[in-house]
Amino acid sequence: MGKADSSKKTILLLAAAVIIYALIRTLEAAEFINPYWQRVIDQALITTMGALGLSIIYGFTGQFSLGHAAFFGLGAYASGVFDKTVGHGALPMFLLSLLIGAAVAGLMALIIGLPILRLRSDYLGIATLGFGIIVKVGMDNSSKFLPILGGATGMSGTPQVANFDWVFWFTLLVIVLVRNFVFSTYGRACTSVREDEIAADVMGINTTRIKVIAFVLGCALAGLAGGMYAHRYPFLHPSSFDFLKSFDFLLVVVLGGLGSMTGTVVTAIAWVFVLEGLRMVLGEAFIDFRGVIYALILIVAIILRPQGIFGGKELGFLVPKPMGSQAGGKGGVNAGTGA
Amino acid sequence: MDHLIVDQIINGLQLGFMYALIALGYTMVYGVVKLINFAHGDVFMVGAFVGYFGFSQWGLPFPVAVLTAMAVCSILGVTIERIAYRPLRYAPKIAALISALGVSLFLEYFGSLKFVFGPNYRVVQRPFEEVQYHLAGITVTNIQIIVFITVLIMLAGLQFLIYRTKIGMAMRTVAVDHNASRLMGVNVDNTISVTFAIGSAFAAAGGVLYAIAYPQIHPFMGIMPGLKAFTAAVLGGIGIIPGAVLGAIIMGQVETLTSAFLSSQARDAIAFGILILVLLIRPTGILGRTEPEKV
């Protein structure tokens, strides 16, 4: 029963995606969505991919990371440089460069994660924050080692081959990947580490290994999102990847509700639209108030919903199997290859 | 060369002492409510602005301007706690942290509005001239002497307050356990408010001193010093008051010596690199105690 149910849910998810895709495409063709809003939509989807990575790390595994934007940036630069110098925007090279972005971010996550994931809660947060700042300093001074990276003046020249289609279907791919991971044996182990590390350890889960797997996978997704970003927006600048950007990912994951993919996806998209919507609603005269209102929305939202908008719940078709049935199964095998 | 090193160590001490004033607020607040108060760096910024307006536009004498800034920021700190953190005190810790981020952004953007502080850099006209003293080849400025004396007096005052007064005792009990403190007749809400007031006043004093030592202020000036001071608090062991001072002095030295003898751009990277290394060796900071985990 579990398997049939699972594939039915997947079909439902795909059907929903096709409908949304068709809707956006139609609106675009009817010139209801102009290129500006198209960019906003793409930005929202790219943020979703990165935020889902943090959702695995923090939402599902409970490892507090304040350096997510660093991995996003590493992926963007790695992918951008590769395509700029070697790929020149050819399709296979574009896909390869996305993989490279994810791989570089994942590898860095492995190197830094192995030692620092021993730290707990706030100490881990501050160590990852520190790592993020080190990466930012590295990017600012990168032109000293590799002039092509541009250093503090930023880097341009990545082929702009990522359009809405690519961004949309990759986002869907990431959603399915994360869903399969979360409901796999590994995903269950992640949740148990989040709930109680000692209990998980006693149950025979190698907690260090699980934490590193979650961290590497989450950061690789950030790197993938970064690679997409590099191919969608022509200019990469170190200040786009500083710790304030890490906070953006964090607040999306927390406002959505820890341990809810639905929450992360909905909040990531809603948050980007709120920001852009404010720009439109306020107009030229009150544009200075944008930051103030943004901050107030954040404070009011978290006070009203401290557990997040979705509070750990999922929309039906993101749950492949009913809770309480046999955990594990096929999802784990598929997800394992993603890292 | 030797004099140069000594001069730089004195500069580093000046920076470290200012970080210490900010770090104390972080560490005290963390002690009583276990919250990384990200808005603290912005309270420091407000303090710098109020002090600047005090001595340059309202014509207050410098010490009065410092006290005004401290008073204004105490009220600000207590208000922030009341509005943004108290409703979330027993919610998941991350909720209050996000709220703190919101308050931080609010203070920065509100401060940037034209009718508040304005978005631009302001050059601070010092209320007195900078004077250099040369003692045995070592250069000390009157600003450094003011910073050292003010900070040492404030540290002594804090030490007295925490270990010799009733409210200090209340703060120490609340840091251990809210419910047990309540059972012992401690007013937890008031104690937390007082902690925020003192922490914010210290940040304000730090802000004014910072404004006269590095005479340029703007609404986003609190971010980096706030982050560094917080790092200093973690480095020393967060929640532990001597740890904050120790961590701040180390941060000040690392930063000044790196920019003087290595590269000013690598400054932040090396400071945070040292933080990560220290945490790997002592996961709860230099003076932090690792408590055995209970199941």
Side-chain angles (χ1 to χ4, degrees):
Chain A
M1 174 232 162
K3 191 151 186 256
D5 201 44
S6 163
S7 45
K8 212 168 80 187
K9 291 270 173 61
T10 309
I11 291 167
L12 212 62
L13 179 66
L14 285 176
V18 169
I19 292 171
I20 295 172
Y21 175 78
L23 192 70
I24 294 176
R25 270 292 183 215
T26 317
L27 288 174
E28 199 188 20
E31 293 189 350
F32 192 75
I33 298 177
N34 59 26
Y36 173 74
W37 284 102
Q38 188 64 64
R39 283 172 69 93
V40 175
I41 292 173
D42 294 352
Q43 174 73 50
L45 292 175
I46 289 171
T47 307
T48 306
M49 283 191 257
L52 278 170
L54 186 61
S55 192
I56 292 181
I57 298 170
Y58 187 44
F60 288 99
T61 319
Q63 303 305 305
F64 190 27
S65 169
L66 286 173
H68 206 58
F71 297 99
F72 183 69
L74 283 171
Y77 270 95
S79 170
V81 158
F82 176 78
D83 214 4
K84 184 177 164 183
T85 51
V86 183
H88 304 296
L91 182 61
M93 287 301 190
F94 163 55
L95 296 176
L96 183 62
S97 78
L98 288 181
L99 269 183
I100 287 176
V104 167
L107 193 66
M108 202 48 145
L110 183 68
I111 295 170
I112 186 80
L114 277 174
I116 70 170
L117 282 170
R118 285 185 300 148
L119 301 175
R120 298 287 161 107
S121 67
D122 292 331
Y123 291 98
L124 178 60
I126 213 69
T128 46
L129 178 75
F131 174 73
I133 289 171
I134 294 171
V135 169
K136 163 82 164 46
V137 171
M139 286 176 183
D140 276 333
N141 296 294
S142 58
S143 52
K144 286 175 193 152
F145 315 102
L146 265 178
I148 196 166
L149 292 173
T153 53
M155 184 182 96
S156 52
T158 307
Q160 297 300 293
V161 286
N163 53 19
F164 169 69
D165 295 340
W166 284 111
V167 178
F168 184 88
W169 295 113
F170 259 93
T171 308
L172 185 72
L173 185 75
V174 168
I175 291 175
V176 172
L177 183 89
V178 172
R179 185 199 71 161
N180 287 354
F181 177 78
V182 164
F183 290 94
S184 71
T185 317
Y186 293 109
R188 301 286 188 184
C190 287
T191 319
S192 73
V193 168
R194 177 190 69 189
E195 292 302 321
D196 191 329
E197 207 173 319
I198 296 175
D201 203 21
V202 172
M203 297 306 286
I205 289 168
N206 184 343
T207 52
T208 311
R209 183 160 162 267
I210 286 297
K211 287 196 280 188
V212 171
I213 288 175
F215 192 64
V216 169
L217 176 62
C219 292
L221 290 180
L224 177 72
M228 200 56 102
Y229 179 90
H231 285 85
R232 180 67 184 83
Y233 302 93
F235 186 60
L236 297 182
H237 193 270
S239 68
S240 315
F241 309 113
D242 65 358
F243 64 93
L244 292 173
K245 183 74 186 167
S246 294
F247 289 152
D248 273 356
F249 284 123
L250 181 73
L251 71 89
V252 161
V253 171
V254 176
L255 274 187
L258 291 179
S260 166
M261 282 172 282
T262 320
T264 305
V265 173
V266 171
T267 315
I269 294 172
W271 195 243
V272 172
F273 273 85
V274 164
L275 280 183
E276 291 304 321
L278 274 179
R279 198 193 290 275
M280 205 172 69
V281 171
L282 291 172
E284 281 294 307
F286 293 99
I287 198 72
D288 291 349
F289 284 86
R290 184 163 163 252
V292 178
I293 297 174
Y294 166 91
L296 286 178
I297 295 176
L298 185 57
I299 299 170
V300 171
I302 199 69
I303 288 178
L304 292 180
R305 295 284 296 175
Q307 73 279 50
I309 298 169
F310 283 80
K313 293 193 179 57
E314 299 286 4
L315 278 185
F317 51 75
L318 277 175
V319 187
K321 292 169 216 108
M323 288 297 215
S325 76
Q326 188 78 46
K330 280 203 96 121
V333 181
N334 294 336
T337 56
Chain B
M1 185 62 193
D2 288 345
H3 294 319
L4 194 59
I5 292 181
V6 177
D7 284 350
Q8 290 302 339
I9 289 176
I10 293 174
N11 286 339
L13 221 48
Q14 168 185 333
L15 187 64
F17 271 31
M18 270 181 280
Y19 284 160
L21 286 184
I22 317 173
L24 282 170
Y26 272 116
T27 220
M28 285 162 66
V29 164
Y30 194 91
V32 294
V33 287
K34 303 287 174 283
L35 163 72
I36 304 177
N37 180 12
F38 273 113
H40 196 62
D42 302 290
V43 172
F44 159 88
M45 174 275 289
V46 173
F49 268 94
V50 173
Y52 160 77
F53 285 130
F55 62 69
S56 73
Q57 300 194 354
W58 305 332
L60 300 175
F62 181 68
V64 182
V66 176
L67 290 175
T68 314
M70 290 171 73
V72 170
C73 286
S74 297
I75 297 169
L76 179 66
V78 172
T79 316
I80 291 172
E81 193 273 329
R82 188 76 193 76
I83 295 174
Y85 304 155
R86 195 174 293 182
L88 297 168
R89 190 176 298 158
Y90 301 107
K93 248 171 61 178
I94 184 68
L97 188 109
I98 294 291
S99 189
L101 277 178
V103 173
S104 163
L105 291 170
F106 177 80
L107 291 176
E108 286 157 16
Y109 285 107
F110 188 73
S112 304
L113 293 177
K114 287 193 190 71
F115 56 87
V116 189
F117 302 144
N120 301 323
Y121 282 79
R122 284 166 191 261
V123 176
V124 175
Q125 296 293 331
R126 294 192 178 110
F128 42 79
E129 290 297 308
E130 182 174 4
V131 188
Q132 292 194 337
Y133 304 104
H134 299 280
L135 300 166
I138 300 164
T139 313
V140 185
T141 67
N142 55 346
I143 291 172
Q144 284 169 336
I145 293 172
I146 290 173
V147 170
F148 295 150
I149 292 175
T150 319
V151 175
L152 288 176
I153 291 175
M154 290 183 76
L155 284 180
L158 185 69
Q159 196 70 10
F160 176 80
L161 184 95
I162 288 180
Y163 290 101
R164 294 278 183 276
T165 63
K166 221 168 173 180
I167 185 70
M169 194 189 266
M171 281 161 67
R172 283 182 286 141
T173 45
V174 170
V176 178
D177 190 319
H178 285 193
N179 285 330
S181 312
R182 249 183 226 116
L183 291 174
M184 296 294 135
V186 175
N187 187 332
V188 172
D189 283 343
N190 281 356
T191 309
I192 291 174
S193 292
V194 170
T195 310
F196 270 86
I198 297 171
S200 306
F202 270 61
V208 187
L209 293 177
Y210 197 87
I212 59 162
Y214 311 101
Q216 205 180 39
I217 56 176
H218 60 104
F220 292 88
M221 67 181 271
I223 299 179
M224 264 337 242
L227 216 53
K228 298 271 180 55
F230 176 64
T231 307
V234 175
L235 193 64
I238 194 153
I240 302 161
I241 285 170
V245 179
L246 177 67
I249 289 173
I250 295 175
M251 281 296 274
Q253 292 301 337
V254 168
E255 227 179 276
T256 317
L257 294 179
T258 318
S259 18
F261 300 109
L262 218 57
S263 137
S264 62
Q265 280 151 333
R267 192 179 66 182
D268 294 352
I270 290 187
F272 284 98
I274 287 179
L275 168 83
I276 294 177
L277 281 182
V278 169
L279 284 184
L280 289 179
I281 300 162
R282 295 201 48 95
T284 48
I286 298 172
L287 299 183
R289 279 181 296 272
T290 327
E291 284 169 23
E293 272 185 84
K294 281 170 267 179
V295 183

